[in-house]
Amino acid sequence: MKTIRRAVALTLVTFSTLFLFAEPALTANGPNEDMEGVYVGEAFNGGDLDEVITTFKFDYSGRLTGEYSVDEETGPYRGRLSNFSFEGPREITMEWTDKFGEGFARMEFSADYQSFTGEWTDNKGSNPLPWSGKKRL
């Protein structure tokens, strides 16, 4: 009887370990690997729309990370996206940080993850401005 209990316990431990180190789950409110990619689009910035390249990728631990590059009149600058939260089947919220400050963003992906529409705000969450992108092929 002890042998059977040990075998069952070992099987459960092995299954639990595999579950913990599995790739990101493809759930309704969790990461979806199709989000990963480079998106070219626009963001309202400084009184007009500027080109923005937004990149999403999963790191080695399965966490979503991101960065962006804005090409504005005074030259390009880069920023970082962090602290992602999965709000719905294709909707994420996050924080942005760049040389001008920090704030929040919300993006909703199309059903095929080939584009997103969203908005960004300052760190008080006021005055939302558009941010969009289409996946680069």
Side-chain angles (χ1 to χ4, degrees):
M1 191 64 143
K2 285 185 179 180
T3 304
I4 292 173
R5 285 187 191 154
R6 284 187 187 146
V8 169
L10 182 59
T11 301
L12 290 174
V13 168
T14 302
F15 178 75
S16 297
T17 303
L18 288 173
F19 182 73
L20 287 173
F21 293 103
E23 290 294 314
L26 304 178
T27 62
N29 290 326
N32 186 314
E33 62 191 16
D34 292 333
M35 289 177 178
E36 198 168 57
V38 176
Y39 295 80
V40 178
E42 299 177 315
F44 195 83
N45 179 47
D48 63 354
L49 288 170
D50 289 329
E51 182 181 83
V52 61
I53 298 173
T54 311
T55 304
F56 297 104
K57 62 184 175 179
F58 289 97
D59 67 13
Y60 68 92
S61 68
R63 254 190 350 212
L64 187 61
T65 65
E67 60 185 25
Y68 58 94
S69 175
V70 178
D71 189 13
E72 67 172 7
E73 293 78 16
T74 60
Y77 66 91
R78 300 176 67 84
R80 185 174 64 99
L81 301 171
S82 61
N83 298 322
F84 289 88
S85 181
F86 298 89
E87 305 296 334
R90 296 181 316 275
E91 185 178 351
I92 56 175
T93 58
M94 70 217 77
E95 295 178 25
W96 62 265
T97 306
D98 61 35
K99 69 181 186 176
F100 296 109
E102 57 189 30
F104 305 99
R106 181 197 60 77
M107 296 171 182
E108 185 169 354
F109 290 85
S110 61
D112 61 2
Y113 293 93
Q114 294 301 303
S115 64
F116 69 81
T117 58
E119 59 192 24
W120 66 276
T121 67
D122 60 17
N123 60 1
K124 295 175 188 154
S126 58
N127 193 28
L129 298 168
W131 186 343
S132 64
K134 187 171 183 175
K135 193 176 266 188
R136 184 185 289 167
L137 300 176

